Amino acid sequence: MTSKLRAPVPNITADAERIESVVRREAPALLAYFERRSTPHDAADLLGETLLIAWRRVSAVPVDDQEARMWLFGVARRVLTTSRRSGVRRQALADRLREEALTRPAATAPQDDGLQEALAGLDPLDAEIIRLLHWDGFGLSEIAQHLGKPAGTIRSRYSRARAALRAALEG
C-alpha cells in the first residue's frame, strides 16, 4: 500500500472567521486612510476594493494581528496608487478626446424642421433605427446587434418606420 502525500486542506471556516475579525477591526482605520487621501465617495469604493482583495487572498493574510494590519494597509496603498494612475490616464484620455472634439467639425443632424418633426412623431425605437441607418451608416444587421433585437424585427420596424416617415413628409 502506497501512501500519497496530500496538500493540507485549508480550514475555510477558520480563514473566514479570521478575515472577518481583521476586517471588522481595521475597516474604520482603512476608510479614514482613504478619506484623507481621496474624496468620500472614492474612499468607500477604495475600501471595498481593498476588502475584496483581502477576501480573495484570505490565505495570504497573516495570522498575527499587527502583521495582518500592515498587510491590509499595504494592499490599501497599492489600491490607492492603482486608482490614482487610472484616474490620471482617464483624465488624459478625456483631455485628448475633448481637444479632438473641439478641432473637428461637429456632427450635426439635418436642420430640416419637417424631418425632425416627422422623426419625433415616430416610435422612439423606429426613429433610432432610421438615425442609425441613415445618419450613422450602420447596416440593419449591425443595428439589430447594437439594439439587442432580432434582425427580422429591425427589418420590419425599419420598413414600417420608412413608410410612416415618407407619409409624414409628403403629408
Side-chain angles (χ1 to χ4, degrees):
M1 184 192 250
T2 314
S3 66
K4 294 184 180 182
L5 296 177
R6 287 194 209 176
V9 177
N11 186 340
I12 296 170
T13 305
D15 283 345
E17 289 173 1
R18 183 171 51 84
I19 193 68
E20 189 176 323
S21 170
V22 169
V23 165
R24 195 177 305 112
R25 184 178 60 245
E26 300 302 333
L30 286 166
L31 182 60
Y33 172 85
F34 287 128
E35 286 174 337
R36 287 188 294 270
R37 290 160 177 83
S38 66
T39 67
H41 174 70
D42 289 342
D45 289 343
L46 294 166
L47 175 62
E49 180 67 23
T50 301
L51 298 180
L52 181 63
I53 291 169
W55 275 102
R56 284 182 180 157
R57 301 197 52 220
V58 67
S59 62
V61 179
V63 176
D64 179 73
D65 289 348
Q66 185 59 29
E67 288 178 19
R69 175 181 169 81
M70 297 312 297
W71 185 87
L72 269 176
F73 272 86
V75 170
R77 183 180 54 77
R78 287 186 293 281
V79 165
L80 183 62
T81 301
T82 300
S83 174
R84 286 180 177 162
R85 272 196 315 266
S86 297
V88 167
R89 284 193 300 268
R90 238 184 340 270
Q91 186 60 49
L93 176 60
D95 291 344
R96 279 196 312 271
L97 292 174
R98 191 175 302 108
E99 183 62 33
E100 182 180 315
L102 292 173
T103 58
R104 68 174 171 76
T108 57
Q111 295 303 311
D112 182 341
D113 290 337
L115 176 60
Q116 294 294 342
E117 200 173 296
L119 279 171
L122 294 177
D123 177 276
L125 178 60
D126 293 345
E128 183 64 5
I129 292 169
I130 296 287
R131 288 185 198 103
L132 287 167
L133 184 75
H134 294 286
W135 295 354
D136 297 315
F138 286 97
L140 290 174
S141 61
E142 293 170 321
I143 294 170
Q145 184 178 2
H146 176 69
L147 297 176
K149 304 280 184 192
T153 300
I154 297 302
R155 280 192 299 277
S156 64
R157 289 193 75 131
Y158 172 65
S159 180
R160 281 194 317 254
R162 188 180 61 207
L165 189 60
R166 183 179 297 123
L169 290 173
E170 290 174 353

PDB file of all heavy atoms in Angstrom, residues 30-40 42-43 45-47 49-50 73-93:
ATOM      1  N   LEU A  30      -8.963  51.881   7.786  1.00  0.00           N
ATOM      2  CA  LEU A  30      -8.721  51.895   6.341  1.00  0.00           C
ATOM      3  C   LEU A  30      -9.579  52.955   5.658  1.00  0.00           C
ATOM      4  O   LEU A  30      -9.109  53.671   4.772  1.00  0.00           O
ATOM      5  CB  LEU A  30      -9.013  50.517   5.749  1.00  0.00           C
ATOM      6  CG  LEU A  30      -8.000  49.426   6.029  1.00  0.00           C
ATOM      7  CD1 LEU A  30      -8.571  48.065   5.678  1.00  0.00           C
ATOM      8  CD2 LEU A  30      -6.713  49.685   5.279  1.00  0.00           C
ATOM      9  N   LEU A  31     -10.830  53.060   6.076  1.00  0.00           N
ATOM     10  CA  LEU A  31     -11.707  54.075   5.491  1.00  0.00           C
ATOM     11  C   LEU A  31     -11.149  55.468   5.766  1.00  0.00           C
ATOM     12  O   LEU A  31     -11.105  56.316   4.865  1.00  0.00           O
ATOM     13  CB  LEU A  31     -13.129  53.940   6.033  1.00  0.00           C
ATOM     14  CG  LEU A  31     -14.150  54.918   5.453  1.00  0.00           C
ATOM     15  CD1 LEU A  31     -14.270  54.760   3.946  1.00  0.00           C
ATOM     16  CD2 LEU A  31     -15.511  54.708   6.125  1.00  0.00           C
ATOM     17  N   ALA A  32     -10.702  55.712   6.978  1.00  0.00           N
ATOM     18  CA  ALA A  32     -10.107  57.012   7.319  1.00  0.00           C
ATOM     19  C   ALA A  32      -8.858  57.259   6.475  1.00  0.00           C
ATOM     20  O   ALA A  32      -8.622  58.384   6.004  1.00  0.00           O
ATOM     21  CB  ALA A  32      -9.774  57.067   8.808  1.00  0.00           C
ATOM     22  N   TYR A  33      -8.063  56.230   6.272  1.00  0.00           N
ATOM     23  CA  TYR A  33      -6.857  56.329   5.430  1.00  0.00           C
ATOM     24  C   TYR A  33      -7.240  56.804   4.038  1.00  0.00           C
ATOM     25  O   TYR A  33      -6.615  57.721   3.481  1.00  0.00           O
ATOM     26  CB  TYR A  33      -6.197  54.941   5.385  1.00  0.00           C
ATOM     27  CG  TYR A  33      -5.045  54.792   4.425  1.00  0.00           C
ATOM     28  CD1 TYR A  33      -3.755  55.152   4.798  1.00  0.00           C
ATOM     29  CD2 TYR A  33      -5.238  54.256   3.161  1.00  0.00           C
ATOM     30  CE1 TYR A  33      -2.691  54.984   3.929  1.00  0.00           C
ATOM     31  CE2 TYR A  33      -4.182  54.084   2.283  1.00  0.00           C
ATOM     32  CZ  TYR A  33      -2.909  54.451   2.666  1.00  0.00           C
ATOM     33  OH  TYR A  33      -1.853  54.292   1.798  1.00  0.00           O
ATOM     34  N   PHE A  34      -8.261  56.192   3.469  1.00  0.00           N
ATOM     35  CA  PHE A  34      -8.692  56.574   2.124  1.00  0.00           C
ATOM     36  C   PHE A  34      -9.340  57.955   2.108  1.00  0.00           C
ATOM     37  O   PHE A  34      -9.142  58.726   1.168  1.00  0.00           O
ATOM     38  CB  PHE A  34      -9.657  55.530   1.555  1.00  0.00           C
ATOM     39  CG  PHE A  34      -8.993  54.247   1.162  1.00  0.00           C
ATOM     40  CD1 PHE A  34      -9.468  53.033   1.627  1.00  0.00           C
ATOM     41  CD2 PHE A  34      -7.889  54.232   0.316  1.00  0.00           C
ATOM     42  CE1 PHE A  34      -8.870  51.843   1.259  1.00  0.00           C
ATOM     43  CE2 PHE A  34      -7.275  53.046  -0.061  1.00  0.00           C
ATOM     44  CZ  PHE A  34      -7.763  51.847   0.416  1.00  0.00           C
ATOM     45  N   GLU A  35     -10.124  58.284   3.128  1.00  0.00           N
ATOM     46  CA  GLU A  35     -10.784  59.595   3.169  1.00  0.00           C
ATOM     47  C   GLU A  35      -9.775  60.730   3.223  1.00  0.00           C
ATOM     48  O   GLU A  35     -10.009  61.800   2.669  1.00  0.00           O
ATOM     49  CB  GLU A  35     -11.730  59.680   4.367  1.00  0.00           C
ATOM     50  CG  GLU A  35     -12.991  58.875   4.174  1.00  0.00           C
ATOM     51  CD  GLU A  35     -13.872  58.837   5.408  1.00  0.00           C
ATOM     52  OE1 GLU A  35     -13.370  59.038   6.528  1.00  0.00           O
ATOM     53  OE2 GLU A  35     -15.073  58.581   5.243  1.00  0.00           O
ATOM     54  N   ARG A  36      -8.653  60.506   3.891  1.00  0.00           N
ATOM     55  CA  ARG A  36      -7.623  61.544   3.962  1.00  0.00           C
ATOM     56  C   ARG A  36      -6.877  61.704   2.642  1.00  0.00           C
ATOM     57  O   ARG A  36      -6.198  62.697   2.430  1.00  0.00           O
ATOM     58  CB  ARG A  36      -6.632  61.216   5.077  1.00  0.00           C
ATOM     59  CG  ARG A  36      -7.189  61.424   6.471  1.00  0.00           C
ATOM     60  CD  ARG A  36      -6.120  61.277   7.540  1.00  0.00           C
ATOM     61  NE  ARG A  36      -5.587  59.931   7.633  1.00  0.00           N
ATOM     62  CZ  ARG A  36      -6.083  58.978   8.422  1.00  0.00           C
ATOM     63  NH1 ARG A  36      -7.129  59.229   9.174  1.00  0.00           N
ATOM     64  NH2 ARG A  36      -5.534  57.784   8.456  1.00  0.00           N
ATOM     65  N   ARG A  37      -7.009  60.740   1.753  1.00  0.00           N
ATOM     66  CA  ARG A  37      -6.249  60.753   0.514  1.00  0.00           C
ATOM     67  C   ARG A  37      -7.114  60.854  -0.739  1.00  0.00           C
ATOM     68  O   ARG A  37      -6.591  60.884  -1.859  1.00  0.00           O
ATOM     69  CB  ARG A  37      -5.387  59.496   0.446  1.00  0.00           C
ATOM     70  CG  ARG A  37      -4.261  59.519   1.455  1.00  0.00           C
ATOM     71  CD  ARG A  37      -3.718  58.133   1.745  1.00  0.00           C
ATOM     72  NE  ARG A  37      -2.587  58.190   2.670  1.00  0.00           N
ATOM     73  CZ  ARG A  37      -2.703  58.258   3.972  1.00  0.00           C
ATOM     74  NH1 ARG A  37      -3.896  58.312   4.535  1.00  0.00           N
ATOM     75  NH2 ARG A  37      -1.632  58.311   4.738  1.00  0.00           N
ATOM     76  N   SER A  38      -8.442  60.871  -0.581  1.00  0.00           N
ATOM     77  CA  SER A  38      -9.338  60.928  -1.735  1.00  0.00           C
ATOM     78  C   SER A  38     -10.661  61.561  -1.312  1.00  0.00           C
ATOM     79  O   SER A  38     -10.785  62.050  -0.199  1.00  0.00           O
ATOM     80  CB  SER A  38      -9.564  59.519  -2.289  1.00  0.00           C
ATOM     81  OG  SER A  38     -10.265  58.734  -1.347  1.00  0.00           O
ATOM     82  N   THR A  39     -11.641  61.493  -2.190  1.00  0.00           N
ATOM     83  CA  THR A  39     -12.976  62.006  -1.861  1.00  0.00           C
ATOM     84  C   THR A  39     -13.732  60.955  -1.044  1.00  0.00           C
ATOM     85  O   THR A  39     -13.409  59.766  -1.110  1.00  0.00           O
ATOM     86  CB  THR A  39     -13.773  62.305  -3.146  1.00  0.00           C
ATOM     87  OG1 THR A  39     -14.033  61.058  -3.815  1.00  0.00           O
ATOM     88  CG2 THR A  39     -13.019  63.251  -4.069  1.00  0.00           C
ATOM     89  N   PRO A  40     -14.751  61.366  -0.291  1.00  0.00           N
ATOM     90  CA  PRO A  40     -15.526  60.384   0.496  1.00  0.00           C
ATOM     91  C   PRO A  40     -16.127  59.283  -0.371  1.00  0.00           C
ATOM     92  O   PRO A  40     -16.116  58.118   0.005  1.00  0.00           O
ATOM     93  CB  PRO A  40     -16.616  61.229   1.159  1.00  0.00           C
ATOM     94  CG  PRO A  40     -16.014  62.596   1.249  1.00  0.00           C
ATOM     95  CD  PRO A  40     -15.159  62.740   0.012  1.00  0.00           C
ATOM     96  N   ASP A  42     -14.992  58.179  -3.318  1.00  0.00           N
ATOM     97  CA  ASP A  42     -13.901  57.310  -3.754  1.00  0.00           C
ATOM     98  C   ASP A  42     -13.376  56.472  -2.601  1.00  0.00           C
ATOM     99  O   ASP A  42     -12.982  55.316  -2.796  1.00  0.00           O
ATOM    100  CB  ASP A  42     -12.765  58.133  -4.357  1.00  0.00           C
ATOM    101  CG  ASP A  42     -13.125  58.733  -5.703  1.00  0.00           C
ATOM    102  OD1 ASP A  42     -14.098  58.257  -6.331  1.00  0.00           O
ATOM    103  OD2 ASP A  42     -12.439  59.682  -6.125  1.00  0.00           O
ATOM    104  N   ALA A  43     -13.372  57.031  -1.404  1.00  0.00           N
ATOM    105  CA  ALA A  43     -12.859  56.304  -0.235  1.00  0.00           C
ATOM    106  C   ALA A  43     -13.651  55.017  -0.015  1.00  0.00           C
ATOM    107  O   ALA A  43     -13.067  53.958   0.242  1.00  0.00           O
ATOM    108  CB  ALA A  43     -12.912  57.188   1.007  1.00  0.00           C
ATOM    109  N   ASP A  45     -15.330  53.305  -2.267  1.00  0.00           N
ATOM    110  CA  ASP A  45     -15.003  52.377  -3.346  1.00  0.00           C
ATOM    111  C   ASP A  45     -13.626  51.742  -3.132  1.00  0.00           C
ATOM    112  O   ASP A  45     -13.443  50.541  -3.351  1.00  0.00           O
ATOM    113  CB  ASP A  45     -15.017  53.089  -4.700  1.00  0.00           C
ATOM    114  CG  ASP A  45     -16.415  53.468  -5.143  1.00  0.00           C
ATOM    115  OD1 ASP A  45     -17.389  52.912  -4.590  1.00  0.00           O
ATOM    116  OD2 ASP A  45     -16.527  54.312  -6.049  1.00  0.00           O
ATOM    117  N   LEU A  46     -12.674  52.547  -2.714  1.00  0.00           N
ATOM    118  CA  LEU A  46     -11.326  52.045  -2.478  1.00  0.00           C
ATOM    119  C   LEU A  46     -11.311  51.036  -1.325  1.00  0.00           C
ATOM    120  O   LEU A  46     -10.621  50.010  -1.390  1.00  0.00           O
ATOM    121  CB  LEU A  46     -10.370  53.201  -2.199  1.00  0.00           C
ATOM    122  CG  LEU A  46     -10.136  54.153  -3.390  1.00  0.00           C
ATOM    123  CD1 LEU A  46      -9.458  55.425  -2.918  1.00  0.00           C
ATOM    124  CD2 LEU A  46      -9.351  53.473  -4.481  1.00  0.00           C
ATOM    125  N   LEU A  47     -12.079  51.324  -0.283  1.00  0.00           N
ATOM    126  CA  LEU A  47     -12.181  50.378   0.829  1.00  0.00           C
ATOM    127  C   LEU A  47     -12.787  49.066   0.345  1.00  0.00           C
ATOM    128  O   LEU A  47     -12.292  47.984   0.665  1.00  0.00           O
ATOM    129  CB  LEU A  47     -13.020  50.958   1.970  1.00  0.00           C
ATOM    130  CG  LEU A  47     -13.288  50.003   3.138  1.00  0.00           C
ATOM    131  CD1 LEU A  47     -11.985  49.574   3.810  1.00  0.00           C
ATOM    132  CD2 LEU A  47     -14.234  50.650   4.139  1.00  0.00           C
ATOM    133  N   GLU A  49     -12.715  47.781  -2.633  1.00  0.00           N
ATOM    134  CA  GLU A  49     -11.719  47.085  -3.443  1.00  0.00           C
ATOM    135  C   GLU A  49     -10.672  46.411  -2.563  1.00  0.00           C
ATOM    136  O   GLU A  49     -10.282  45.265  -2.792  1.00  0.00           O
ATOM    137  CB  GLU A  49     -11.055  48.065  -4.412  1.00  0.00           C
ATOM    138  CG  GLU A  49     -10.014  47.438  -5.303  1.00  0.00           C
ATOM    139  CD  GLU A  49     -10.580  46.447  -6.304  1.00  0.00           C
ATOM    140  OE1 GLU A  49     -11.775  46.515  -6.631  1.00  0.00           O
ATOM    141  OE2 GLU A  49      -9.807  45.576  -6.744  1.00  0.00           O
ATOM    142  N   THR A  50     -10.232  47.103  -1.531  1.00  0.00           N
ATOM    143  CA  THR A  50      -9.238  46.542  -0.601  1.00  0.00           C
ATOM    144  C   THR A  50      -9.789  45.315   0.111  1.00  0.00           C
ATOM    145  O   THR A  50      -9.101  44.292   0.212  1.00  0.00           O
ATOM    146  CB  THR A  50      -8.816  47.614   0.425  1.00  0.00           C
ATOM    147  OG1 THR A  50      -8.268  48.730  -0.289  1.00  0.00           O
ATOM    148  CG2 THR A  50      -7.804  47.075   1.410  1.00  0.00           C
ATOM    149  N   PHE A  73      -2.928  47.394   5.097  1.00  0.00           N
ATOM    150  CA  PHE A  73      -2.555  48.756   4.712  1.00  0.00           C
ATOM    151  C   PHE A  73      -1.643  48.754   3.486  1.00  0.00           C
ATOM    152  O   PHE A  73      -1.669  49.685   2.684  1.00  0.00           O
ATOM    153  CB  PHE A  73      -1.944  49.521   5.892  1.00  0.00           C
ATOM    154  CG  PHE A  73      -2.989  50.209   6.724  1.00  0.00           C
ATOM    155  CD1 PHE A  73      -3.628  49.531   7.748  1.00  0.00           C
ATOM    156  CD2 PHE A  73      -3.356  51.514   6.459  1.00  0.00           C
ATOM    157  CE1 PHE A  73      -4.610  50.154   8.507  1.00  0.00           C
ATOM    158  CE2 PHE A  73      -4.339  52.145   7.204  1.00  0.00           C
ATOM    159  CZ  PHE A  73      -4.974  51.466   8.230  1.00  0.00           C
ATOM    160  N   GLY A  74      -0.850  47.715   3.316  1.00  0.00           N
ATOM    161  CA  GLY A  74      -0.056  47.572   2.099  1.00  0.00           C
ATOM    162  C   GLY A  74      -0.945  47.391   0.885  1.00  0.00           C
ATOM    163  O   GLY A  74      -0.729  48.002  -0.168  1.00  0.00           O
ATOM    164  N   VAL A  75      -1.970  46.558   1.027  1.00  0.00           N
ATOM    165  CA  VAL A  75      -2.945  46.375  -0.049  1.00  0.00           C
ATOM    166  C   VAL A  75      -3.648  47.703  -0.331  1.00  0.00           C
ATOM    167  O   VAL A  75      -3.820  48.099  -1.483  1.00  0.00           O
ATOM    168  CB  VAL A  75      -3.966  45.269   0.308  1.00  0.00           C
ATOM    169  CG1 VAL A  75      -5.118  45.240  -0.688  1.00  0.00           C
ATOM    170  CG2 VAL A  75      -3.279  43.914   0.389  1.00  0.00           C
ATOM    171  N   ALA A  76      -4.031  48.405   0.723  1.00  0.00           N
ATOM    172  CA  ALA A  76      -4.725  49.687   0.571  1.00  0.00           C
ATOM    173  C   ALA A  76      -3.853  50.691  -0.184  1.00  0.00           C
ATOM    174  O   ALA A  76      -4.344  51.406  -1.059  1.00  0.00           O
ATOM    175  CB  ALA A  76      -5.105  50.244   1.946  1.00  0.00           C
ATOM    176  N   ARG A  77      -2.574  50.723   0.123  1.00  0.00           N
ATOM    177  CA  ARG A  77      -1.669  51.647  -0.570  1.00  0.00           C
ATOM    178  C   ARG A  77      -1.595  51.316  -2.057  1.00  0.00           C
ATOM    179  O   ARG A  77      -1.654  52.193  -2.908  1.00  0.00           O
ATOM    180  CB  ARG A  77      -0.279  51.585   0.061  1.00  0.00           C
ATOM    181  CG  ARG A  77       0.723  52.557  -0.549  1.00  0.00           C
ATOM    182  CD  ARG A  77       2.099  52.464   0.095  1.00  0.00           C
ATOM    183  NE  ARG A  77       2.658  51.119   0.092  1.00  0.00           N
ATOM    184  CZ  ARG A  77       3.204  50.534  -0.981  1.00  0.00           C
ATOM    185  NH1 ARG A  77       3.271  51.166  -2.116  1.00  0.00           N
ATOM    186  NH2 ARG A  77       3.689  49.310  -0.886  1.00  0.00           N
ATOM    187  N   ARG A  78      -1.504  50.023  -2.378  1.00  0.00           N
ATOM    188  CA  ARG A  78      -1.451  49.616  -3.787  1.00  0.00           C
ATOM    189  C   ARG A  78      -2.771  49.921  -4.499  1.00  0.00           C
ATOM    190  O   ARG A  78      -2.771  50.357  -5.649  1.00  0.00           O
ATOM    191  CB  ARG A  78      -1.076  48.143  -3.902  1.00  0.00           C
ATOM    192  CG  ARG A  78       0.402  47.906  -3.569  1.00  0.00           C
ATOM    193  CD  ARG A  78       0.835  46.482  -3.820  1.00  0.00           C
ATOM    194  NE  ARG A  78       0.222  45.498  -2.938  1.00  0.00           N
ATOM    195  CZ  ARG A  78       0.601  45.258  -1.693  1.00  0.00           C
ATOM    196  NH1 ARG A  78       1.600  45.931  -1.165  1.00  0.00           N
ATOM    197  NH2 ARG A  78      -0.019  44.344  -0.966  1.00  0.00           N
ATOM    198  N   VAL A  79      -3.894  49.712  -3.825  1.00  0.00           N
ATOM    199  CA  VAL A  79      -5.201  50.029  -4.411  1.00  0.00           C
ATOM    200  C   VAL A  79      -5.289  51.530  -4.698  1.00  0.00           C
ATOM    201  O   VAL A  79      -5.729  51.954  -5.772  1.00  0.00           O
ATOM    202  CB  VAL A  79      -6.351  49.559  -3.488  1.00  0.00           C
ATOM    203  CG1 VAL A  79      -7.685  50.180  -3.879  1.00  0.00           C
ATOM    204  CG2 VAL A  79      -6.442  48.038  -3.487  1.00  0.00           C
ATOM    205  N   LEU A  80      -4.849  52.345  -3.751  1.00  0.00           N
ATOM    206  CA  LEU A  80      -4.873  53.797  -3.930  1.00  0.00           C
ATOM    207  C   LEU A  80      -3.961  54.226  -5.079  1.00  0.00           C
ATOM    208  O   LEU A  80      -4.349  55.042  -5.918  1.00  0.00           O
ATOM    209  CB  LEU A  80      -4.466  54.497  -2.629  1.00  0.00           C
ATOM    210  CG  LEU A  80      -4.513  56.015  -2.628  1.00  0.00           C
ATOM    211  CD1 LEU A  80      -5.930  56.523  -2.879  1.00  0.00           C
ATOM    212  CD2 LEU A  80      -3.989  56.542  -1.302  1.00  0.00           C
ATOM    213  N   THR A  81      -2.773  53.669  -5.141  1.00  0.00           N
ATOM    214  CA  THR A  81      -1.833  54.002  -6.211  1.00  0.00           C
ATOM    215  C   THR A  81      -2.404  53.623  -7.575  1.00  0.00           C
ATOM    216  O   THR A  81      -2.339  54.406  -8.521  1.00  0.00           O
ATOM    217  CB  THR A  81      -0.485  53.282  -5.973  1.00  0.00           C
ATOM    218  OG1 THR A  81       0.029  53.698  -4.710  1.00  0.00           O
ATOM    219  CG2 THR A  81       0.519  53.594  -7.054  1.00  0.00           C
ATOM    220  N   THR A  82      -2.974  52.440  -7.661  1.00  0.00           N
ATOM    221  CA  THR A  82      -3.576  51.992  -8.920  1.00  0.00           C
ATOM    222  C   THR A  82      -4.731  52.902  -9.312  1.00  0.00           C
ATOM    223  O   THR A  82      -4.876  53.277 -10.481  1.00  0.00           O
ATOM    224  CB  THR A  82      -4.068  50.529  -8.784  1.00  0.00           C
ATOM    225  OG1 THR A  82      -2.947  49.712  -8.469  1.00  0.00           O
ATOM    226  CG2 THR A  82      -4.728  50.042 -10.058  1.00  0.00           C
ATOM    227  N   SER A  83      -5.538  53.284  -8.345  1.00  0.00           N
ATOM    228  CA  SER A  83      -6.671  54.168  -8.614  1.00  0.00           C
ATOM    229  C   SER A  83      -6.193  55.522  -9.125  1.00  0.00           C
ATOM    230  O   SER A  83      -6.760  56.076 -10.071  1.00  0.00           O
ATOM    231  CB  SER A  83      -7.506  54.344  -7.347  1.00  0.00           C
ATOM    232  OG  SER A  83      -8.513  55.304  -7.556  1.00  0.00           O
ATOM    233  N   ARG A  84      -5.165  56.051  -8.520  1.00  0.00           N
ATOM    234  CA  ARG A  84      -4.631  57.348  -8.961  1.00  0.00           C
ATOM    235  C   ARG A  84      -4.076  57.253 -10.370  1.00  0.00           C
ATOM    236  O   ARG A  84      -4.296  58.141 -11.190  1.00  0.00           O
ATOM    237  CB  ARG A  84      -3.558  57.834  -7.989  1.00  0.00           C
ATOM    238  CG  ARG A  84      -4.141  58.340  -6.694  1.00  0.00           C
ATOM    239  CD  ARG A  84      -3.055  58.807  -5.765  1.00  0.00           C
ATOM    240  NE  ARG A  84      -3.634  59.367  -4.555  1.00  0.00           N
ATOM    241  CZ  ARG A  84      -2.971  59.535  -3.438  1.00  0.00           C
ATOM    242  NH1 ARG A  84      -1.700  59.184  -3.356  1.00  0.00           N
ATOM    243  NH2 ARG A  84      -3.574  60.042  -2.380  1.00  0.00           N
ATOM    244  N   ARG A  85      -3.335  56.190 -10.671  1.00  0.00           N
ATOM    245  CA  ARG A  85      -2.792  56.016 -12.023  1.00  0.00           C
ATOM    246  C   ARG A  85      -3.919  55.916 -13.038  1.00  0.00           C
ATOM    247  O   ARG A  85      -3.875  56.524 -14.095  1.00  0.00           O
ATOM    248  CB  ARG A  85      -1.923  54.757 -12.094  1.00  0.00           C
ATOM    249  CG  ARG A  85      -0.497  54.973 -11.730  1.00  0.00           C
ATOM    250  CD  ARG A  85       0.388  53.817 -12.182  1.00  0.00           C
ATOM    251  NE  ARG A  85      -0.144  52.506 -11.908  1.00  0.00           N
ATOM    252  CZ  ARG A  85       0.122  51.766 -10.841  1.00  0.00           C
ATOM    253  NH1 ARG A  85       0.949  52.221  -9.917  1.00  0.00           N
ATOM    254  NH2 ARG A  85      -0.408  50.579 -10.684  1.00  0.00           N
ATOM    255  N   SER A  86      -4.940  55.162 -12.692  1.00  0.00           N
ATOM    256  CA  SER A  86      -6.087  55.018 -13.589  1.00  0.00           C
ATOM    257  C   SER A  86      -6.779  56.358 -13.793  1.00  0.00           C
ATOM    258  O   SER A  86      -7.199  56.687 -14.900  1.00  0.00           O
ATOM    259  CB  SER A  86      -7.087  54.010 -13.021  1.00  0.00           C
ATOM    260  OG  SER A  86      -6.509  52.743 -12.933  1.00  0.00           O
ATOM    261  N   GLY A  87      -6.906  57.122 -12.729  1.00  0.00           N
ATOM    262  CA  GLY A  87      -7.533  58.443 -12.821  1.00  0.00           C
ATOM    263  C   GLY A  87      -6.742  59.379 -13.704  1.00  0.00           C
ATOM    264  O   GLY A  87      -7.311  60.125 -14.508  1.00  0.00           O
ATOM    265  N   VAL A  88      -5.425  59.343 -13.600  1.00  0.00           N
ATOM    266  CA  VAL A  88      -4.569  60.185 -14.438  1.00  0.00           C
ATOM    267  C   VAL A  88      -4.729  59.783 -15.898  1.00  0.00           C
ATOM    268  O   VAL A  88      -4.865  60.632 -16.783  1.00  0.00           O
ATOM    269  CB  VAL A  88      -3.091  60.093 -13.984  1.00  0.00           C
ATOM    270  CG1 VAL A  88      -2.153  60.699 -15.006  1.00  0.00           C
ATOM    271  CG2 VAL A  88      -2.918  60.773 -12.629  1.00  0.00           C
ATOM    272  N   ARG A  89      -4.730  58.474 -16.171  1.00  0.00           N
ATOM    273  CA  ARG A  89      -4.907  58.006 -17.556  1.00  0.00           C
ATOM    274  C   ARG A  89      -6.284  58.391 -18.087  1.00  0.00           C
ATOM    275  O   ARG A  89      -6.425  58.813 -19.237  1.00  0.00           O
ATOM    276  CB  ARG A  89      -4.717  56.492 -17.632  1.00  0.00           C
ATOM    277  CG  ARG A  89      -3.268  56.060 -17.563  1.00  0.00           C
ATOM    278  CD  ARG A  89      -3.093  54.604 -17.962  1.00  0.00           C
ATOM    279  NE  ARG A  89      -3.827  53.681 -17.125  1.00  0.00           N
ATOM    280  CZ  ARG A  89      -3.345  53.087 -16.042  1.00  0.00           C
ATOM    281  NH1 ARG A  89      -2.110  53.307 -15.668  1.00  0.00           N
ATOM    282  NH2 ARG A  89      -4.083  52.264 -15.341  1.00  0.00           N
ATOM    283  N   ARG A  90      -7.318  58.231 -17.253  1.00  0.00           N
ATOM    284  CA  ARG A  90      -8.671  58.601 -17.670  1.00  0.00           C
ATOM    285  C   ARG A  90      -8.758  60.081 -17.999  1.00  0.00           C
ATOM    286  O   ARG A  90      -9.348  60.482 -19.002  1.00  0.00           O
ATOM    287  CB  ARG A  90      -9.655  58.258 -16.537  1.00  0.00           C
ATOM    288  CG  ARG A  90     -10.724  57.328 -16.925  1.00  0.00           C
ATOM    289  CD  ARG A  90     -11.764  57.060 -15.849  1.00  0.00           C
ATOM    290  NE  ARG A  90     -11.431  57.328 -14.474  1.00  0.00           N
ATOM    291  CZ  ARG A  90     -10.881  56.450 -13.641  1.00  0.00           C
ATOM    292  NH1 ARG A  90     -10.586  55.249 -14.048  1.00  0.00           N
ATOM    293  NH2 ARG A  90     -10.625  56.762 -12.399  1.00  0.00           N
ATOM    294  N   GLN A  91      -8.157  60.914 -17.138  1.00  0.00           N
ATOM    295  CA  GLN A  91      -8.191  62.354 -17.363  1.00  0.00           C
ATOM    296  C   GLN A  91      -7.429  62.727 -18.631  1.00  0.00           C
ATOM    297  O   GLN A  91      -7.880  63.570 -19.407  1.00  0.00           O
ATOM    298  CB  GLN A  91      -7.614  63.101 -16.163  1.00  0.00           C
ATOM    299  CG  GLN A  91      -7.754  64.602 -16.250  1.00  0.00           C
ATOM    300  CD  GLN A  91      -9.211  65.034 -16.354  1.00  0.00           C
ATOM    301  OE1 GLN A  91     -10.051  64.589 -15.589  1.00  0.00           O
ATOM    302  NE2 GLN A  91      -9.524  65.895 -17.305  1.00  0.00           N
ATOM    303  N   ALA A  92      -6.282  62.099 -18.862  1.00  0.00           N
ATOM    304  CA  ALA A  92      -5.503  62.380 -20.071  1.00  0.00           C
ATOM    305  C   ALA A  92      -6.300  61.996 -21.314  1.00  0.00           C
ATOM    306  O   ALA A  92      -6.305  62.735 -22.307  1.00  0.00           O
ATOM    307  CB  ALA A  92      -4.170  61.636 -20.035  1.00  0.00           C
ATOM    308  N   LEU A  93      -6.973  60.866 -21.267  1.00  0.00           N
ATOM    309  CA  LEU A  93      -7.793  60.446 -22.396  1.00  0.00           C
ATOM    310  C   LEU A  93      -8.945  61.422 -22.613  1.00  0.00           C
ATOM    311  O   LEU A  93      -9.228  61.820 -23.742  1.00  0.00           O
ATOM    312  CB  LEU A  93      -8.331  59.035 -22.169  1.00  0.00           C
ATOM    313  CG  LEU A  93      -9.287  58.504 -23.234  1.00  0.00           C
ATOM    314  CD1 LEU A  93      -8.603  58.461 -24.595  1.00  0.00           C
ATOM    315  CD2 LEU A  93      -9.800  57.125 -22.830  1.00  0.00           C
TER     316      LEU A  93
END
